[in-house]
Amino acid sequence: MKLKDKVCIVTGAARGIGEGIARRYVEEGAYVAIADLNLEAARETAATLAGQGPGTAMAVAMDVTDEQAVNEGVAAVAEAWGGVDVLVSNAGIQIVHEIEDFPFADWKKLLSIHLDGAFLTSKACIPHMYAKGSGSIVFMGSVHSKEASPLKSAYVTAKHGLLGLARVISKEGAAHGVRANVICPGFVKTPLVEKQIPEQAQELGISETEVVDEIMLGETVDKEFTTIDDVAEVALLFASFPTNALTGQSLVVSHGWFMQ
């Protein structure tokens, strides 16, 4: 088991990609905190996952944009399980508008969830990792950490920013055995992505089929969506890698949409 007895916090883990990562971690023997704004949904997911592997799960209420809520949630996990070994900062939203029509309040909301959330959860977890002399921080980036698309100015800005934050944490954390890396998935067919299809069709004046075939999957090698399981395997690699040889890096998981 690659994560036996490791204490992991996954934000936005009640559903979607976060849930898939949490499940994979439980299968590998981890103690996983399902940290989510929706505590009831987090409890349901934790109860389900607790019986699906050698590891276990617990629910934690967490608004990643609220410093007190983050600090209290991380402290509760550390007290329950004796520290923190892995953080997956996954909580995120999507809002699409052309720049001239992008409401400033929506811009700030999106950046706060993605960037403030990554910063605040990292800041709260790092002292626990330093105390252990090891740790792994995994940010949920995107192909949009590398590329740009119309209508996504806030999202692209946020996802690019995660690369910089991960690199700084890698530099600062190296002496303490703490690594930071970024997963950059292509389009994963979660409710977040499914919501975008009609929104982009309306904004761009094209059909929903054209959004999928031309906008979302047009640059892939096989016209396939990335899966939650694909992303979870990369999250496991980053969480379980044993040395600083793999830190400050980003790995694209996108069916060839972006290649480097």
Side-chain angles (χ1 to χ4, degrees), residues 11-178:
T11 69
R15 298 287 183 267
I17 292 173
E19 179 185 9
I21 292 171
R23 176 179 287 106
R24 192 72 185 90
Y25 284 6
V26 168
E27 291 171 352
E28 291 292 334
Y31 293 80
V32 184
I34 309 299
D36 205 280
L37 191 62
N38 186 334
L39 180 58
E40 187 55 39
R43 285 172 173 159
E44 292 173 4
T45 297
T48 300
L49 296 186
Q52 292 192 354
T56 191
M58 66 181 283
V60 178
M62 190 177 292
D63 176 352
V64 298
T65 69
D66 183 320
E67 185 172 14
Q68 182 177 345
V70 168
N71 290 343
E72 289 177 353
V74 170
V77 174
E79 182 177 355
W81 287 333
V84 179
D85 297 291
V86 177
L87 165 68
V88 180
S89 177
N90 167 76
I93 62 170
Q94 178 63 282
I95 303 172
V96 294
H97 295 288
E98 291 185 334
I99 289 177
E100 66 268 28
D101 297 323
F102 214 116
F104 188 36
D106 285 347
W107 168 276
K108 290 189 288 185
K109 177 181 179 181
L110 190 148
L111 263 65
S112 181
I113 292 170
H114 288 267
L115 289 179
D116 294 353
F119 166 72
L120 290 173
T121 52
S122 297
K123 182 181 178 183
C125 289
I126 281 171
H128 298 286
M129 295 177 177
Y130 282 8
K132 288 191 171 191
S134 65
S136 175
I137 293 174
V138 182
F139 293 144
M140 190 56 61
S142 166
V143 167
H144 286 106
S145 297
K146 311 281 188 173
E147 292 276 10
S149 292
L151 311 179
K152 297 184 177 180
S153 55
Y155 189 80
V156 170
T157 299
K159 294 304 188 182
H160 274 66
L162 292 174
L163 298 178
L165 180 58
R167 290 163 182 162
V168 172
I169 291 172
S170 296
K171 296 279 188 179
E172 294 183 359
H176 306 276
V178 173

